[in-house]
């Protein structure tokens, strides 16, 4: 009797845990961008894992100025410094980080998946 493929469990964060050849799992080379729902219509965008070479406070201020949104920088005990921005800003963040050369498209992760919001130029 054939098995039904739809009933098997699927882990959307599996690619984060196993890593790839260029960036092994557990390294800080990935920049994770996540969207969190605050209430029925408001969202929150979090950015974590950017390089330590860049000042995250200045990066957050630049995000606020360019994207015309409010934000803050928090210190998380497990993830380090995390940038919080109002509303869904993941497309703007991906584009900005690639334009300034802070990250490559392969380094950006959107909620555990590779960021496909932009096409590589």
């Amino acid at each position: 009797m054939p098995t039904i493929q739809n009933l098997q469990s699927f882990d959307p964060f599996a690619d984060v845990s196993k890593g790839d050849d260029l960036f092994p799992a557990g390294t800080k080379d990935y920049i994770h961008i996540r969207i969190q729902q605050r209430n029925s219509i408001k969202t929150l965008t979090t950015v974590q894992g950017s390089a330590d070479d860049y000042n995250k406070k200045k990066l957050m201020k630049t995000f606020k100025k360019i994207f015309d949104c409010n934000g803050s920088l928090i210190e998380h005990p497990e993830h380090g410094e995390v940038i919080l921005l109002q509303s869904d800003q993941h497309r703007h963040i991906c584009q900005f980080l690639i334009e300034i050369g802070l990250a490559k498209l392969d380094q950006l992760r959107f909620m555990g998946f590779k960021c496909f919001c932009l096409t590589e130029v």
Side-chain angles (χ1 to χ4, degrees):
M1 186 167 169
T3 61
I4 298 174
Q5 295 295 329
N6 292 344
L7 298 179
Q8 295 179 348
S9 65
F10 173 71
D11 184 14
F13 298 104
D15 65 337
V16 175
S17 60
K18 68 181 171 184
D20 14 359
D21 297 324
L22 295 176
F23 307 106
T27 62
K28 298 284 185 179
D29 291 335
Y30 289 121
I31 297 175
H32 295 276
I33 302 167
R34 293 184 175 87
I35 306 295
Q36 297 176 352
Q37 193 76 28
R38 288 191 329 166
N39 58 22
S40 61
I41 58 173
K42 297 186 187 264
T43 58
L44 184 70
T45 304
T46 62
V47 181
Q48 77 178 45
S50 57
D52 293 332
D53 301 342
Y54 291 87
N55 187 348
K56 290 183 179 73
K57 190 171 184 176
K58 287 185 180 181
L59 194 60
M60 185 259 315
K61 285 184 180 183
T62 305
F63 286 158
K64 287 171 54 174
K65 186 176 183 180
I66 292 176
F67 305 150
D68 196 25
C69 65
N70 198 5
S72 63
L73 184 68
I74 63 165
E75 181 66 34
H76 192 273
E78 184 179 342
H79 303 296
E81 291 182 319
V82 178
I83 298 172
L84 301 174
L85 297 172
Q86 278 183 343
S87 72
D88 185 2
Q89 301 289 341
H90 79 277
R91 287 192 175 103
H92 299 280
I93 292 171
C94 290
Q95 184 178 14
F96 181 77
L97 293 176
I98 291 172
E99 284 179 3
I100 67 168
L102 180 62
K104 297 177 184 172
L105 191 60
D106 294 339
Q107 292 175 306
L108 298 175
R109 297 283 185 215
F110 177 64
M111 297 178 77
F113 297 99
K114 288 185 179 178
C115 193
F116 292 111
C117 57
L118 299 171
T119 57
E120 195 167 357
V121 182

